[in-house]
Amino acid sequence: MRYIIAFLISLVAFFVLDYFDINNILMIGLMFIIILIIILAPPILYTTLLQTDEDKLERFLLKNKKNPHFYIIYALANELDEEVNDITEALLHKYKQASRQATYSVVRALYFKNLQEAKVHVNQIKPLKYKLYYQSIILIEEDDLDGAEILIEQMKTNWMRYALLAEIEQKRNHLSNARNYAHQARSKSRGLQRYILHKTYEREFGF
């Protein structure tokens, strides 16, 4: 389908170029690059951002084991402790941007239940929704459930809210509510995040 779309876009693009008598090499080159992106990019973008089939997501992650950005997702989801640590070290060594470093450090710290380490880095995370998400996890792990709920009220991303509420209900031993929130979190998630939630809830709730 994407090739048909690219072909149709090509026809329209070249019609426009011909109609307006555009023969500037830069404009033609830009048009070619846009068409190439349309042909090549969607499969990866769709899989990482929109795919909901967990088996296809797993095959994608295993196929891309050599890419640390993808394999870290597989390692986290499947609780591969050594791989999580090694891949995080590789990412920290490769990317020096403060916000990225903070995110990698916080994810690893929370995975290994090192709350003090997570608290050192969490405020350096730039995207607000991720900062609030990880701050909420820290509060939940510290049993400050009321404080976590205050942060959750500020979140607009549905899967994040439901995932955190599932954690809170688990802490309160309200397992039926936790399962319901977990179901909602998974149903609202897409792409690689869907895979992590699926594997997590498969272990915790059996679905």
Side-chain angles (χ1 to χ4, degrees):
M1 176 61 72
R2 68 180 185 275
Y3 297 109
I4 295 173
I5 294 171
F7 175 70
L8 294 174
I9 291 174
S10 299
L11 284 181
V12 172
F14 287 113
F15 171 77
V16 170
L17 290 172
D18 182 64
Y19 182 81
F20 290 102
D21 195 26
I22 297 173
N23 53 20
N24 184 300
I25 190 67
L26 291 177
M27 288 294 295
I28 295 172
L30 180 62
M31 194 70 70
F32 176 77
I33 291 170
I34 291 171
I35 293 167
L36 195 61
I37 290 172
I38 290 169
I39 294 172
L40 298 178
I44 292 178
L45 291 177
Y46 178 81
T47 300
T48 57
L49 299 178
L50 299 174
Q51 181 62 262
T52 58
D53 186 316
E54 291 90 1
D55 291 334
K56 289 182 179 179
L57 284 163
E58 182 162 276
R59 287 196 294 272
F60 171 82
L61 291 171
L62 290 173
K63 184 179 178 181
N64 290 277
K65 282 183 70 171
K66 293 184 179 180
N67 186 321
H69 292 102
F70 295 138
Y71 195 55
I72 189 65
I73 302 298
Y74 183 84
L76 288 165
N78 290 279
E79 297 190 333
L80 305 177
D81 295 357
E82 187 174 345
E83 282 89 339
V84 169
N85 190 59
D86 291 346
I87 298 168
T88 302
E89 282 298 322
L91 290 168
L92 288 170
H93 180 75
K94 184 173 183 180
Y95 298 100
K96 302 302 183 183
Q97 184 184 6
S99 181
R100 273 196 180 193
Q101 290 244 329
T103 302
Y104 298 143
S105 297
V106 168
V107 169
R108 179 172 62 177
L110 289 175
Y111 176 84
F112 288 110
K113 306 295 184 182
N114 187 343
L115 298 185
Q116 292 306 312
E117 178 71 11
K119 288 162 77 171
V120 168
H121 300 285
V122 71
N123 288 324
Q124 293 178 280
I125 296 175
K126 290 298 183 184
L128 180 60
K129 68 177 182 179
Y130 291 109
K131 181 189 293 187
L132 290 173
Y133 182 73
Y134 293 124
Q135 285 174 332
S136 299
I137 293 175
I138 291 170
L139 291 174
I140 292 169
E141 291 295 327
E142 292 180 329
D143 291 320
D144 184 357
L145 305 185
D146 293 336
E149 286 178 326
I150 291 172
L151 293 185
I152 291 169
E153 289 177 2
Q154 302 176 49
M155 295 182 187
K156 297 181 180 179
T157 304
N158 284 329
W159 75 258
M160 287 184 172
R161 294 178 68 252
Y162 291 133
L164 292 168
L165 290 171
E167 293 293 322
I168 288 174
E169 291 302 296
Q170 273 189 300
K171 281 278 189 176
R172 289 173 172 158
N173 204 32
H174 300 162
L175 298 185
S176 178
N177 289 342
R179 286 177 62 88
N180 288 336
Y181 280 128
H183 267 298
Q184 291 182 73
R186 194 180 72 168
S187 69
K188 296 294 184 181
S189 63
R190 299 287 185 273
L192 299 181
Q193 189 57 55
R194 172 71 165 244
Y195 181 75
I196 290 181
L197 291 180
H198 167 70
K199 298 299 288 188
T200 301
Y201 296 149
E202 188 177 56
R203 285 190 298 272
E204 295 182 358
F205 300 112
F207 62 76

